[in-house]
Amino acid sequence: MTAMSSFRKQPSAENLPVLFSIQRTLSLHSEVPSALPLCAQKIAEACHPGEVIIIFSGEASGAMEIAAVAPEPARLQRGHQPIKMGAFPCGKALEKEELVEMGIDKGKYCVEAPIWNGKRIAGAISLILEADFPTARRERAAELLQWTCFLVEEALGLREALLKRTEGTAPADGREPAERNFPEKSASEKEPVENPRGISFHGMIGTSDRMKEVFTLIGQVAGTNATVLVLGESGTGKELVAKAIHDCSPRSGGPFIAVNCAALPESIIESELFGHEKGAFTGAIAARQGRFEAAKDGTLFLDEIGDLSPTVQVKLLRILQERSFERVGGNKAIRTNARIIAATHRDLLKEVEAGNFREDLFFRLNVFPVHIPPLRERGADILLLADHFAEKFGESSGKHIKRISSPALDLLMIYHWPGNVRELENCISRAGIVSTDGVIHSYNLPPSLQSATSTGTEPISTFDGAVARLEKEMLVEALKIERGNSAQAAQRLGITERRFRFALQRYKVDYHRFRTKL
């Protein structure tokens, strides 16, 4: 049992900034106990006025002791004070082994939750609130406590996993580890290299369920030679997925060749892919190796495969079937063992129905599809990516970005991101450039994030035109705030859902594109 065993829903938007800050605090400390005082302080600030007490035991058989209190000075002090089962502080959570809410002396209200480490309880958190603390805020406080316990559990699990991986590396013969000879693992035995903070997988940042599914699919297909079709909107990171598959595969020692099929003119794409012989066409003064030959023993990534011409589609189909091809102007069959990974932002089934893409080629490519979710469906990954891009910008520009303000984080979370991860990176870079104090504020972000989406109409001086423009802006703004939920957007505007949908049809506003996930 863990803190999440009965708590599966995503955290509320109000709790995301403080949870993100707690996660960063835990990741920046080598030992969990040293991070607990700061975690307690962040919970107390988020639930002001409130007191936080955290008890913790680092050893499997060690006694529980108070590891953190906030705000300090508090009624209890850190150290070896007796913790009684079933009694305040934290005793009820230890006894019930789950979230507990109860009234305590002097008109106070207490919320407690246990911290698990594997199958044992390693500690607990108590949050003491005033009896008149608003019910809605009380529910958010309980959620914040449970998610904090989960983040602490995750940090404990990560450290135990790292310790297990280093067990047995100490030399039994007294020599330094560098002097010992270990057999090197083959490429197929190599384990994926994870970011120590537990949020990165081969350059892809994310902890959402949708991205975890993608990471699982990558691990399943990487060790095979199956053709992979990566699907997703522009800017979602399809090339990163292809590179991760290559890095996790036995071919990781070979080349990774990426080709953007949409960027190459039709007149030269065959030569680029298959190579050409000397004299094959004007300017071919020497034989040239194509990308399929260059990708020998490695991976060939064909981006925007949906833009290939029918002629090249036929040749690609033959390569997938026969594993051989001929250079332009040549008649010698050349064998290839390159693994093919294709990607597109188009709906290939619709392209097949429209006659723009060969059906037999589609089924050859669609052996193992991997769909990359758009950024608006990845919830709290937006905050992780924003922080990552802020650090990346700081390193490349030499400008230290200390943090992203809470109002800026709120704007990032409610935006629908039509340009996905690429748009987010550009927004953070732009905000970093205009920031003057090392903090990315909401007013540093592009105007598209700060106001309603462009109405698509020119300013009109007539009364009816001004009313229509304002009405459309209010519709879009409500959808943006409610993340594409038309029922809640209608309620926010004080109109019926039927009237709201009629207005959407009149102004041709698609509510689906505003849907985001927390």
Side-chain angles (χ1 to χ4, degrees):
M1 181 178 178
T2 67
M4 292 296 290
S5 60
S6 60
F7 186 67
R8 300 284 181 184
K9 65 179 182 179
Q10 295 284 351
S12 61
E14 293 83 354
N15 281 335
L16 282 174
V18 64
L19 286 172
F20 183 56
S21 179
I22 288 172
Q23 185 183 47
R24 287 201 66 186
T25 299
L26 289 165
S27 68
L28 292 172
H29 286 75
S30 58
E31 298 295 334
V32 171
S34 62
L36 294 180
L38 279 175
C39 293
Q41 188 65 37
K42 292 178 186 299
I43 297 172
E45 291 173 357
C47 301
H48 181 78
E51 298 177 25
V52 180
I53 301 169
I54 302 180
I55 65 170
F56 190 76
S57 169
E59 301 296 332
S61 59
M64 296 284 181
E65 63 181 57
I66 295 176
V69 293
E72 293 190 45
R75 67 176 81 181
L76 299 172
Q77 299 298 322
R78 283 184 248 168
H80 298 273
Q81 297 195 25
I83 304 299
K84 296 180 181 180
M85 188 73 71
F88 174 84
C90 302
K92 279 289 184 182
L94 298 180
E95 181 182 54
K96 299 290 186 180
E97 298 186 353
E98 61 183 16
L99 180 78
V100 178
E101 299 182 48
M102 59 185 177
I104 56 175
D105 61 328
K106 297 180 182 179
K108 300 283 186 178
Y109 184 83
C110 180
V111 183
E112 295 184 351
I115 300 171
W116 290 81
N117 188 5
K119 295 183 179 180
R120 74 178 184 89
I121 294 180
I125 305 178
S126 276
L127 172 61
I128 302 97
L129 304 169
E130 298 294 333
D132 58 352
F133 201 74
T135 303
R137 289 192 63 196
R138 187 182 295 178
E139 291 175 357
R140 290 201 297 269
E143 177 191 79
L144 175 62
L145 218 62
Q146 285 182 292
W147 272 92
T148 300
C149 289
F150 171 65
L151 294 176
V152 174
E153 291 164 11
E154 204 174 47
L156 290 170
L158 177 61
R159 282 156 179 77
E160 285 199 359
L162 291 174
L163 285 173
K164 287 180 181 178
R165 291 182 67 173
T166 56
E167 281 180 1
T169 58
D173 53 9
R175 289 183 292 166
E176 291 296 322
E179 297 177 74
R180 302 184 68 190
N181 294 320
F182 291 93
E184 189 171 343
K185 289 185 177 182
S186 65
S188 60
E189 294 174 315
K190 290 179 180 178
E191 298 180 12
V193 179
E194 298 287 349
N195 187 304
R197 295 161 72 182
I199 62 173
S200 175
F201 179 85
H202 290 274
M204 290 178 287
I205 307 294
T207 59
S208 63
D209 291 341
R210 295 290 302 276
M211 287 308 295
K212 287 178 181 177
E213 291 173 9
V214 172
F215 300 157
T216 299
L217 290 175
I218 291 173
Q220 291 171 340
V221 77
T224 71
N225 288 318
T227 302
V228 180
L229 180 61
V230 185
L231 303 167
E233 298 178 7
S234 295
T236 51
K238 295 186 287 295
E239 185 169 347
L240 283 177
V241 171
K243 190 68 168 64
I245 294 173
H246 172 76
D247 290 342
C248 294
S249 73
R251 298 170 176 267
S252 58
F256 176 82
I257 307 295
V259 181
N260 189 328
C261 300
L264 295 174
E266 188 176 347
S267 58
I268 67 168
I269 191 169
E270 288 189 54
S271 173
E272 288 291 325
L273 292 178
F274 312 122
H276 61 256
E277 298 291 353
K278 180 179 179 180
F281 49 83
T282 303
I285 58 176
R288 183 180 182 276
Q289 199 179 61
R291 305 296 177 92
F292 275 95
E293 288 181 78
K296 180 182 179 182
D297 299 325
T299 302
L300 178 62
F301 174 55
L302 300 175
D303 197 9
E304 300 302 347
I305 194 77
D307 292 291
L308 284 178
S309 67
T311 303
V312 181
Q313 288 180 34
V314 173
K315 292 195 174 185
L316 181 58
L317 177 63
R318 183 192 171 193
I319 292 177
L320 293 174
Q321 290 174 336
E322 308 294 336
R323 308 303 298 179
S324 67
F325 63 95
E326 295 173 359
R327 289 179 179 173
V328 176
N331 54 16
K332 178 183 176 183
I334 301 173
R335 299 288 298 177
T336 179
N337 67 347
R339 187 206 190 135
I340 308 298
I341 300 178
T344 181
H345 73 282
R346 298 179 184 272
D347 187 334
L348 288 187
L349 276 176
K350 289 184 178 179
E351 294 295 313
V352 170
E353 292 172 1
N356 298 325
F357 200 81
R358 292 182 63 97
E359 184 178 25
D360 46 4
L361 178 58
F362 169 71
F363 289 119
R364 282 285 179 180
L365 291 171
N366 198 39
V367 176
F368 193 92
V370 178
H371 189 274
I372 314 302
L375 184 58
R376 60 183 172 274
E377 296 179 6
R378 291 176 54 181
D381 285 355
I382 295 171
L383 302 182
L384 299 177
L385 286 163
D387 185 64
H388 168 73
F389 290 140
E391 291 182 4
K392 180 179 176 182
F393 171 79
E395 291 172 359
S396 62
S397 65
K399 187 175 183 178
H400 180 53
I401 303 297
K402 293 179 278 189
R403 64 184 179 89
I404 304 175
S405 70
S406 294
L409 291 174
D410 291 340
L411 288 177
L412 295 176
M413 287 301 297
I414 65 174
Y415 187 56
H416 57 284
W417 298 111
N420 293 294
V421 180
R422 185 182 295 119
E423 183 184 7
L424 174 59
E425 182 174 11
N426 292 339
C427 286
I428 296 299
S429 297
R430 187 257 190 198
I433 291 171
V434 300
S435 173
T436 57
D437 57 358
V439 178
I440 293 179
H441 299 281
S442 59
Y443 52 79
N444 297 139
L445 296 173
S448 59
L449 272 73
Q450 300 179 36
S451 60
T453 304
S454 175
T455 62
T457 59
E458 294 295 326
I460 301 174
S461 58
T462 64
F463 178 79
D464 289 341
V467 170
R469 191 174 175 211
L470 175 61
E471 186 177 5
K472 185 175 180 181
E473 287 182 353
M474 291 180 69
L475 292 173
V476 172
E477 190 70 19
L479 283 172
K480 204 165 154 187
I481 294 171
E482 299 298 341
R483 302 177 182 88
N485 188 315
S486 58
Q488 292 181 9
Q491 186 178 5
R492 172 176 286 275
L493 294 177
I495 60 176
T496 64
E497 188 175 352
R498 182 175 179 274
R499 181 181 171 188
F500 186 83
R501 288 183 178 275
F502 178 75
L504 292 181
Q505 293 175 1
R506 184 171 31 167
Y507 295 112
K508 297 180 181 179
V509 176
D510 181 10
Y511 66 91
H512 291 93
R513 67 190 183 97
F514 297 94
R515 285 186 172 172
T516 58
K517 179 182 176 184
L518 291 179

